[in-house]
Structure formats: C-alpha cells, structure tokens
Amino acid sequence: MGIGAKGWHAEGMKSTMQSTPLLISSLLRYGTTVHGESEVVTWAADEPRRTTYRDLGRQAAQLAHALRRLGIDGDQRVGTFMWNNAEHLMAYLAVPSMGAVLHALNIRLFPQQLIYVAQHGGSEIVIVDNSLAGPFGQLLAHLPAVRHVIVNGPVDDATRAALEAPDHVEGVHDFAGLIAGEPIDYDWPEDIDEQDAASMCYTSGTTGNPKGVAYSHRSNYLHSMGVAATLAMTPADRLLIVVPLFHANAWGFPYAAMVTGSTLVMPDRYLQAEPLSAMLVKEKVTGGAGVPTIWNDLLHYLDTHDVDVSLVRTLMVGGSAAPPALMRAFHDNHDIEIIHGWGMTETSPVGSLAIPPPRVEVDSEEYWTYKASQGRLLCGVEGRIVAPDGSVAPSDGESVGELEVRGPWITASYYSNGTESDAEIGEMAAKFDDGWLRTGDVGKLSADGFITLTDRAKDVIKSGGEWISSVELENAIMGHPEVLEASVIGVADDKWGERPLASVVLRPETATTVADLSDFLEGKFARWQVPDRWAVIDEVPKTSVGKFDKKVLRARYAEGELEVVKT
Ligand code: ADP
C-alpha cells in the first residue's frame, strides 16, 4: 500500500527509534561537556569575569543542589531578577534541568506590573543581582509566595536586613556562599516529560494584565535547534547577547549556544554604546543580538569614534521593525550585516529570520527588500494570512491581513493559575483561532515563506478609509540623515477619521525642519499618506524592553503635551 493510502496509516507502523525526551538537561549535559572549553564572559567595571562551559555546568549542578536544599523538589517556580551574566545562565540551565520552572522577571516593568507577574507566576525563590537588590526589596513585601532570596554578588548588612524584613522571607543567601561546597555534579532527573513546563515569560498586555506563557522542555529544545541552524551558529562565534535574559528567553541564545558551543559575552548592566563597543573589541565579538534602539545607539557611537569592529560579521535585531537605514549604515560604514528577525513572547520567540536567498545579489535593491522584511519562517513554524472577514488569504506576497502562526514552539494557550476573571479568560482564548495563534501583526506572506509586516493591528492608521503603514513611514523618516528616531501614530481627524502624526528626534543643532522631512518623503509615498502633523521631541519613549512606546506617545498627545506642527 502506498504512502498516504488510508490503510497504511491506520495500521500505524511503529518507528524503531528511541523516544528520548527532549530536555534542557540534555542541552546542559552536551554543552558543558562537549563544548566544555567554550567561554562565558561577564562584563564588569574593571576586569570581565570569565568561566568555561565546563565550570558553568559544575556550578549549575551546585546551584541545583542548593535549590534542592531550600525545598525545590518539583515544578515550583524559581524567579530571577538579574542582568545578563554567568549566574543568570546557571539558573537557565539548573532550574529546568532539575524539574523546576524558571521565571525570568523583567526588571524594567513598572512595580505594579512586576508584582502582578511575579505573584501570578508564583516564584518561591528569587535570585537577584546585588545591583538590583534595592528595587527588588521594594517589591518583596508584596510577594508573599517568596520564601528565599539568593543575592548574586556581595551583599552588605543593610541590603540583607532590607530583604529579610518581610515575615514570609525565611532566608537571604549569598549566591557564591550558598553553592560553595555543593557537589559539582547532579543526577538530572530523566523522568521529566518533554511537554512539562521548563520556563515561563510574560508578555505585556495592551489592555489589562500581562499574560504568561509556559515553555516546555521540548519547545525550548526545538527552538534552540531552529535558531542555531538558521543562524548557522558555530563554536567559533563569540556572541554579544544584549537582548535581556528576561526578554523572551533572550531569543533562545542561551540554549542554542549549548548546542553549538558559541562563546557568550554577557554585558551585565553595561548597556551603553561605549562599553558595548569596548566589549566588541576586547572580546573579539563576531556577532550579537539586541533590539533596534540598542544597535541604533551603537551605530552613532561607531560613526563618531575610532573602533575596530572588523571581526564583527552579523548583528541580529528583532522585537520591533529594524529601519532599513540602520541596516544599510552598518553595512556601508562598518561592513556589518544586520539580520532582522520577528517573534513574540508567545513564539519562544523566534518565528522568522531575514536571510535573503543566495541568488539575490548583495547590496541590490532586492537584497534590501529581503533584509527589511521580517524574514523567512523557520522550519517548524507555519504561517497564514487571515483577511478581515476571517477567510484565509493566499500566501502570495500581496494579500494583506493578520498573520497567524502555529508550530511546536508556538504557545497553544496562556498560563492560567485559576485567578483570572472571566473577561481575562475570554480575552486569552480570543488570541487563538482553531489551533493557530493570532499574532496581532498585520502584513503579507510570500510563497517562499517571507513575512513583511506593515503594522501591529492596533497601530494601523486608517485615513479616509485607506490604511497607512506607520512602520513604512518610520522607516522612511529614519532614512533622513538628520533624524535619530521617529515614531508615527494615528490621531483623530474630523475629516479623514485618522491622520498620521510623526514624532521625530533630530540630531542636535541641526538646521533641518519638519518641512524638510515632509519634502524628503515626497515621491516615496502617495501625498495623502505623508504625515501633515509633526512633533519634534527629545527622545521617543521606550517600553521595558527598549521598543518605541506608542502608548505613551498617544497619551502625551491626548494630554496636549506634544507641540504639534502642521505642514
Ligand atoms: P510586547 O507585546 O511586550 O512588545 P513581545 O516582545 O512579545 O511583547 O512583542 C511581540 C511583538 O513585537 C510582535 O507581535 C510584533 O508586533 C513586534 N515585533 C517583533 N519583532 C518585530 C519585527 N522584526 N518587526 C516588526 N515588529 C516586530
């Protein structure tokens, strides 16, 4: 009987292969032995701290023993409140491998959101960098589930006393002291189901409370494979991971590096362009990952300082649309390729990466169109475009609608701890469409799997019944040499329903005016698409993970705080 004939499948011929579960502990075991010589470098004010993958594995085992001693014996949550550093990586490895669930808390959220997220996740133990002990201490009284706090780095008496103050805290421990003397190997449990939760992250809800996503061992494992293969990561890579470990799994790099043995350079709290460029040089960095705002700052620094970045080949960018002008400037001025990726907390997060097909000539117009797209879906991630009437539109590179995705590292639901209201449960369920995740992103999908997004559904500007893409306008405005940042929102208009308002940050002491910017857009857009309202501002407000925050801009406009110029 041929393949696909009913009877053949019904008989269900079993494979002969082993059913080894896909666990984080396998990544740990592999990475820290086979790639034992690879390094983790953590930046510091004086000398960077260095550790090998081998030692990282040993310390992860010690941490697991210590956590066990503090009562972690099942799928309890262990939180982190940390920068990108070696100890944070140890938690990434140890916590899921021992069967518990890692919850990396976003240190930049507003306290109310942080309290909600930490409580909803339910961490019993939280590992905190000593530089963050102050802000964490302010939250602790509101986190009754937390029994122990582990402080990474020396902890002075005052800090210890502050963290010990709430009654529910049984102990405050010094990280190094806590793990010292513990055995350097751990019998990682093998009876964990690969579908069990390994880690969790929260996305910031546009309305209401943030929503939690619980990643499985299997989803993390397959996602790391997908990222490592698509980016062609190797042991020779030295990667500067600026994207925080608390932002959607640091895009999978911690686990992908275990697969490939790539050295990781962790910036800790030194995220300004100056120390980042020092890391590039001193640590012979070959690649990196961060949001557009980080690379934008770095670009301006490199453009104005003499920094030898000849070893840097690629920088991955994602989280929001990367302006083509940014990519071209890195390419033209510094011979660095930007790789644009798209994803969401709900998609582990990497869904697509923009690597132009090899037939496309480097630096041609077509090349830049591919680079500016959100990229090609990774193997395992399926996508479709759904038209406003709910019908599935063709993946022809032209039909526009909401992008929906599904696959082994796409979440099938949000995490519920039983405390959500009916309205929240309804809101969470509405994000799914017959097994597909509604991304809330609007755009098109080509037959060869490239996504091009025009907007988030909630950012789309509708003027006189026609859509205007805020992303296309922002990209074009940021292509003007005197513009540092630009963000476009739709504002109410009596005649047209909505009109675009562009908020721009200009280079200091420039003579450029908004009329010049409006002229600059002529010919690039239809007349009615060009913004006729402009505001020159000092800085575009940013979200907790460094994206342009349109919510804040809208609020400022509503409060009359923006000085709007009409052109
Ligand atoms: P938050 O909602 O808190 O920003 P995420 O980090 O999960 O949380 O954001 C995911 C969203 O970020 C996507 O749905 C998309 O709108 C946007 N995004 C991510 N990468 C890109 C990209 N390369 N281009 C355009 N938008 C992007």
Side-chain angles (χ1 to χ4, degrees):
M1 232 177 267
I3 292 178
K6 258 189 171 163
W8 192 88
H9 281 297
E11 281 160 26
M13 178 177 163
K14 289 271 185 280
S15 89
T16 59
M17 307 314 287
Q18 302 184 4
S19 57
T20 315
L22 308 178
L23 301 180
I24 303 288
S25 54
S26 338
L27 298 177
L28 183 164
R29 207 175 284 120
Y30 182 81
T32 60
T33 52
V34 168
H35 295 301
E37 286 171 21
S38 297
E39 262 189 310
V40 177
V41 181
T42 305
W43 201 251
D46 36 32
E47 266 304 289
R49 292 184 287 126
R50 291 170 194 285
T51 179
T52 59
Y53 275 22
R54 184 171 298 109
D55 284 341
L56 193 75
R58 290 174 176 161
Q59 288 168 299
Q62 292 182 302
L63 175 61
H65 282 289
L67 291 172
R68 188 89 178 75
R69 199 152 40 81
L70 297 180
I72 300 296
D73 55 4
D75 64 356
Q76 296 102 329
R77 262 68 71 207
V78 175
T80 54
F81 198 79
M82 305 174 85
W83 302 106
N84 286 9
N85 50 39
E87 291 74 15
H88 204 167
L89 271 180
M90 283 170 213
Y92 252 69
L93 295 172
V95 174
S97 294
M98 65 190 292
V101 180
L102 180 85
H103 183 184
L105 295 161
N106 179 344
I107 60 172
R108 294 188 203 274
L109 286 180
F110 291 116
Q112 272 325 101
Q113 265 185 320
L114 251 172
I115 290 167
Y116 173 81
V117 162
Q119 245 187 322
H120 192 267
S123 289
E124 292 186 15
I125 297 182
V126 182
I127 311 175
V128 184
D129 276 335
N130 65 347
S131 58
L132 296 169
F136 184 73
Q138 314 241 312
L139 308 173
L140 197 51
H142 307 279
L143 303 176
V146 177
R147 295 186 292 108
H148 291 275
V149 182
I150 303 174
V151 183
N152 178 35
V155 41
D156 60 32
D157 290 345
T159 309
R160 181 181 291 279
L163 293 173
E164 271 166 359
D167 284 347
H168 55 85
V169 177
E170 294 167 24
V172 174
H173 314 267
D174 157 67
F175 189 105
L178 183 74
I179 71 170
E182 293 290 353
I184 57 169
D185 44 26
Y186 192 96
D187 200 6
W188 304 112
E190 289 183 359
D191 58 351
I192 297 172
D193 186 327
E194 63 178 21
Q195 291 285 18
D196 284 349
S199 54
M200 65 192 309
C201 272
Y202 281 72
T203 175
S204 61
T206 43
T207 51
N209 287 321
K211 294 190 272 294
V213 173
Y215 308 106
S216 63
H217 286 260
R218 171 186 151 88
S219 70
N220 272 309
Y221 193 109
L222 293 173
H223 176 255
S224 337
M225 294 288 181
V227 169
T230 314
L231 290 176
M233 288 166 60
T234 76
D237 287 320
R238 299 179 63 84
L239 304 174
L240 176 61
I241 307 300
V242 188
V243 53
L245 270 76
F246 57 73
H247 181 201
N249 289 320
W251 303 349
F253 283 98
Y255 297 140
M258 289 291 125
V259 179
T260 63
S262 309
T263 280
L264 296 176
V265 179
M266 304 301 245
D268 201 82
R269 59 183 188 274
Y270 304 97
L271 302 173
Q272 304 73 23
E274 189 179 350
L276 290 180
S277 38
M279 292 173 216
L280 295 179
V281 176
K282 183 151 194 238
E283 296 307 326
K284 299 186 167 53
V285 166
T286 61
V291 290
T293 44
I294 290 279
W295 297 143
N296 203 25
D297 287 351
L298 180 72
L299 175 69
H300 294 303
Y301 187 86
L302 296 181
D303 281 348
T304 49
H305 294 78
D306 188 16
V307 185
D308 177 7
V309 288
S310 54
L311 293 177
V312 184
R313 291 191 306 272
T314 54
L315 295 176
M316 188 188 151
V317 66
S320 49
L326 175 84
M327 303 196 215
R328 281 186 189 247
F330 267 110
H331 179 273
D332 295 347
N333 308 348
H334 306 288
D335 201 16
I336 293 174
E337 287 304 305
I338 296 278
I339 299 183
H340 191 197
W342 167 86
M344 307 169 69
T345 302
E346 292 89 334
T347 65
S348 290
V350 183
S352 58
L353 287 163
I355 300 171
R359 66 167 172 78
V360 176
E361 195 183 326
V362 175
D363 214 11
S364 62
E365 271 315 304
E366 194 183 5
Y367 178 80
W368 289 110
T369 305
Y370 272 113
K371 298 279 286 183
S373 80
Q374 275 62 26
R376 188 179 247 163
L377 293 168
L378 265 56
C379 176
V381 182
E382 261 184 283
R384 67 180 188 183
I385 296 294
V386 175
D389 66 2
S391 64
V392 176
S395 300
D396 55 6
E398 284 176 16
S399 309
V400 175
E402 182 175 7
L403 173 69
E404 295 190 348
V405 289
R406 68 178 181 187
W409 61 83
I410 312 297
T411 198
S413 64
Y414 288 99
Y415 169 65
S416 159
N417 67 1
T419 60
E420 302 80 13
S421 66
D422 286 350
E424 281 170 326
I425 290 170
E427 196 197 315
M428 295 197 293
K431 289 282 282 178
F432 300 91
D433 175 13
D434 196 20
W436 295 75
L437 170 76
R438 296 184 210 265
T439 64
D441 289 325
V442 175
K444 49 202 183 182
L445 179 60
S446 66
D448 58 352
F450 278 86
I451 304 169
T452 306
L453 297 181
T454 44
D455 254 317
R456 274 187 164 192
K458 61 178 189 288
D459 294 336
V460 165
I461 302 164
K462 215 162 181 200
S463 179
E466 299 287 338
W467 282 3
I468 301 179
S469 161
S470 65
V471 171
E472 280 171 21
L473 284 173
E474 287 159 5
N475 284 346
I477 300 168
M478 285 192 275
H480 190 286
E482 294 300 300
V483 173
L484 294 176
E485 294 178 341
S487 182
V488 178
I489 56 170
V491 296
D493 180 275
D494 289 343
K495 185 165 175 200
W496 301 106
E498 256 186 345
R499 289 294 301 153
L501 160 67
S503 302
V504 292
V505 181
L506 298 173
R507 276 186 197 278
E509 287 160 35
T510 180
T512 300
T513 63
V514 295
D516 298 332
L517 299 181
S518 177
D519 290 347
F520 177 73
L521 296 183
E522 234 182 75
K524 297 185 171 78
F525 293 89
R527 275 198 104 97
W528 60 272
Q529 293 176 317
V530 174
D532 41 17
R533 291 170 171 84
W534 297 78
V536 177
I537 56 177
D538 293 338
E539 193 190 343
V540 173
K542 313 281 186 323
T543 70
S544 62
V545 290
K547 303 185 192 193
F548 288 176
D549 197 336
K550 296 194 181 191
K551 257 194 316 235
V552 173
L553 278 176
R554 284 192 192 101
R556 282 193 194 162
Y557 176 77
E559 297 293 318
E561 287 170 13
L562 292 182
E563 231 173 273
V564 178
V565 178
K566 291 204 173 184
T567 51

